[in-house]
Amino acid sequence: MASAYSRSMQAMIDALARLPGGGPKSAQRIAFHLLKTDIEEVKKLTRAIEDARGSVRFCERCFNFSEAPMCHICAD
């Protein structure tokens, strides 16, 4: 069955549907929202995801999220 959406739109929906707690309908709603949102807001979200992905890691002691080798609780 052919998709009702363009290839790039379907790829975005498919990627969003793989997020935890999401499904095809939620992914469609998020995709539609992102396409209607001001491009600068979408760029902010993209940068925030990239920045977090590049700087956040697991704490060496408790395995909580941290930007340092140990989280602020374990480092105290």
Side-chain angles (χ1 to χ4, degrees):
M1 178 179 213
S3 172
Y5 304 111
S6 68
R7 182 186 51 76
S8 58
M9 180 71 173
Q10 190 61 54
M12 182 166 60
I13 292 169
D14 292 345
L16 290 167
R18 287 191 292 274
L19 294 173
K25 291 293 184 186
S26 295
Q28 281 180 343
R29 284 191 290 274
I30 295 168
F32 296 158
H33 172 77
L34 291 171
L35 290 174
K36 290 188 272 183
T37 299
D38 179 71
I39 189 67
E40 290 308 314
E41 290 300 313
V42 175
K43 287 179 182 180
K44 278 187 201 176
L45 174 61
T46 302
R47 282 191 300 273
I49 293 169
E50 289 173 340
D51 289 349
R53 190 64 182 99
S55 64
V56 176
R57 65 188 90 177
F58 291 108
C59 171
E60 293 174 352
R61 183 174 293 160
C62 71
F63 305 104
N64 197 3
F65 292 110
S66 176
E67 289 188 9
M70 283 200 290
C71 71
H72 70 281
I73 296 169
C74 292
D76 186 22

